Amino acid sequence: MAAKPASSELSMENISLEALSLSEGIQDSPVCIIVLGMAGSGKTTFTRSLIQHAQEKFNPYVVNLDPACREVPYATHIDIRDTVNYKEVMKQYQLGPNGGIVTALNMFTTKMAKFAELVRRAGQRGHKWCIIDTPGQIEVFTWSASGNIITEGLATMFPTIIVYVMDVVRSACPTTFMSNMLYACSILYKTRLPFLVALNKIDLKDCSFVQEWMTDFEAYQDALEQEQSFVNNLTRTMSLTLDTFYENLVTCGVSAKTGVGFAQLIKHVLDCVTEYEKDYKPVYEKMRKERLAEQQATLQPPSTVEDSGTAVPMGLDLKDPPPYSGNNMFLMAPGLVPQQMDSEEFEDDMETDAKGNTEEQNFQTFVQSHLTAQKTKRNKFIQEQQKP
């Protein structure tokens, strides 16, 4: 559940967008850390551990951008689930899960200016980091317009870095490793931001083989020869292409479950911030000035007006939200409206829980009957062995 504002002055109702101006330049804080990774790589658990290790020194401001998750294992300051009703989006637009996530992110992005203002205020209140957890389906965020707007919008106003969470256990297969590296490479060149690869789940498998494959081409070729797959030739060719990519890639082995390696990870994050200030900030400063010039050109009134026209509202405003009802897709700002469930949604959830309980009971019954049968068979065998 999203953290509620500590006082009335922190609410969305009194945000003045005039305070958030591109003319102010890139702020020194907070540092925005966008966590990306394949589904199942452990992004959410990684985010929780990163928050815990950075809490004392960096006081992170936490943002959840996954509208489809039922709950998150950490307290959030901004939660997209408080702004967009994901199930209602799917129902009204007749979308599937991925389409619902994309549409929910698009709706959230329409309030990007106020989201950025909340992040700016967080920096003024002493939050040195802003950690952003993204949807499990990585392509939904990295290749959608909303993901691009959020990433570039933050990078134009705050120091921003990308942390790519990689599952070490699943990457033990050379072809899966190459798929992960290709995705990491594409994200690096698309976002044009400092990039850090967190090799997660080292409590289950040591990450030294990944680092060896990155630095020793022959070692990766030897591992690839042991795989009997028709894509080996393609993978071998791609490994030659990515040699240049590996040279400047920063990696760090961590365990999101046990917390091992996060001290070293935080050092790498600080190095990435320095890299942003040195190499990337001038690029985004130039981009900021170009956008500022476009805004000023747009604000100038036309020389002649043929038709005054009729004012048409362009969308909902968070400072003047509609009354909450069960059918609303777009709700108020984070923490201002308690989450409610309509009767139909409640019945659906109850039915889902009932089915889950029934399946669990059936599974337990099957296991118990199987164990009983095995025990009976074993006793019968022992009795036959004891007969003279």
Side-chain angles (χ1 to χ4, degrees):
M1 183 178 295
K4 293 179 172 55
S7 64
S8 60
E9 68 175 9
L10 300 182
S11 68
M12 291 292 296
E13 295 183 357
N14 62 348
I15 281 184
S16 174
L17 292 183
E18 288 76 10
L20 183 66
S21 174
L22 287 173
S23 60
E24 293 183 0
I26 298 177
Q27 308 291 314
D28 293 332
S29 65
V31 174
C32 294
I33 304 173
I34 302 177
V35 181
L36 300 173
M38 294 286 192
S41 60
K43 291 187 299 298
T44 299
T45 308
F46 172 87
T47 301
R48 180 195 64 184
S49 296
L50 181 59
I51 293 169
Q52 292 174 349
H53 286 82
Q55 186 64 50
E56 181 177 355
K57 188 173 182 180
F58 301 100
N59 188 22
Y61 191 75
V62 184
V63 179
N64 172 46
L65 292 183
D66 189 353
C69 63
R70 299 195 66 174
E71 58 184 29
V72 290
Y74 48 79
T76 60
H77 296 87
I78 298 178
D79 196 326
I80 189 174
R81 296 174 299 169
D82 293 334
T83 306
V84 183
N85 191 327
Y86 168 71
K87 289 186 177 180
E88 199 64 34
V89 169
M90 291 178 59
K91 184 186 300 182
Q92 292 198 19
Y93 288 99
Q94 299 180 354
L95 299 171
N98 288 344
I101 294 175
V102 171
T103 305
L105 280 171
N106 291 342
M107 290 180 170
F108 183 83
T109 308
T110 62
K111 306 302 177 184
M112 180 63 196
K114 292 189 176 181
F115 169 56
E117 167 66 4
L118 288 174
V119 175
R120 188 181 73 89
R121 288 188 176 192
Q124 293 177 345
R125 297 198 304 271
H127 295 277
K128 296 181 180 179
W129 283 6
C130 175
I131 301 177
I132 303 172
D133 192 11
T134 57
Q137 293 78 359
I138 183 174
E139 68 280 357
V140 169
F141 185 84
T142 55
W143 300 111
S144 66
S146 54
N148 190 46
I149 291 171
I150 292 172
T151 303
E152 286 194 3
L154 292 175
T156 310
M157 290 177 278
F158 313 100
T160 305
I161 71 171
I162 304 294
V163 176
Y164 182 79
V165 181
M166 180 175 166
D167 189 341
V168 172
V169 178
R170 295 174 64 182
S171 298
C173 173
T175 53
T176 306
F177 164 80
M178 182 55 58
S179 299
N180 257 308
M181 289 296 99
L182 286 173
Y183 225 118
C185 180
S186 63
I187 293 173
L188 170 65
Y189 289 112
K190 178 177 173 61
T191 58
R192 296 169 296 174
L193 288 169
F195 198 81
L196 171 62
V197 178
L199 305 175
N200 194 22
K201 304 183 183 180
I202 62 173
D203 56 309
L204 301 178
K205 188 174 182 62
D206 187 68
C207 66
S208 58
F209 74 95
V210 174
Q211 296 168 334
E212 182 183 12
W213 286 353
M214 289 182 179
T215 56
D216 190 344
F217 173 77
E218 293 182 357
Y220 179 73
Q221 294 301 313
D222 293 340
L224 194 61
E225 289 296 334
Q226 300 175 8
E227 292 286 327
Q228 300 297 327
S229 174
F230 67 94
V231 297
N232 279 4
N233 289 335
L234 174 63
T235 306
R236 186 177 294 105
T237 304
M238 296 307 302
S239 63
L240 288 169
T241 306
L242 291 180
D243 265 354
T244 306
F245 169 67
Y246 295 149
E247 291 178 359
N248 300 317
L249 189 64
V250 181
T251 62
C252 181
V254 297
S255 171
K257 184 177 181 179
T258 64
V260 174
F262 274 87
Q264 186 66 27
L265 179 83
I266 290 176
K267 293 180 181 178
H268 285 306
V269 170
L270 296 178
D271 291 339
C272 287
V273 175
T274 303
E275 181 184 358
Y276 175 90
E277 295 287 344
K278 180 181 178 182
D279 299 330
Y280 294 87
K281 186 174 181 179
V283 177
Y284 280 96
E285 281 283 3
K286 181 180 178 181
M287 186 183 301
R288 178 185 61 81
K289 292 178 181 178
E290 291 176 354
R291 290 184 179 179
L292 185 60
E294 292 177 0
Q295 285 186 0
Q296 293 175 347
T298 305
L299 291 176
Q300 293 182 1
S303 56
T304 59
V305 180
E306 296 180 357
D307 188 1
S308 59
T310 305
V312 177
M314 297 301 293
L316 298 176
D317 193 17
L318 290 181
K319 67 181 181 181
D320 187 21
Y324 173 74
S325 66
N327 294 324
N328 281 346
M329 288 183 299
F330 219 101
L331 310 181
M332 290 179 62
L336 298 186
V337 174
Q339 291 292 323
Q340 301 180 11
M341 299 174 64
D342 56 25
S343 57
E344 182 179 351
E345 182 180 357
F346 179 76
E347 291 175 0
D348 291 342
D349 287 348
M350 290 294 292
E351 183 179 354
T352 302
D353 293 340
K355 289 181 180 179
N357 293 335
T358 303
E359 291 177 357
E360 179 67 20
Q361 291 174 1
N362 292 339
F363 177 74
Q364 294 294 341
T365 303
F366 168 76
V367 172
Q368 190 62 38
S369 61
H370 177 73
L371 293 175
T372 303
Q374 291 292 327
K375 183 177 180 181
T376 304
K377 184 177 179 180
R378 184 171 61 254
N379 292 337
K380 184 178 180 180
F381 176 78
I382 294 174
Q383 291 176 2
E384 290 179 351
Q385 293 291 327
Q386 292 176 351
K387 288 181 180 180

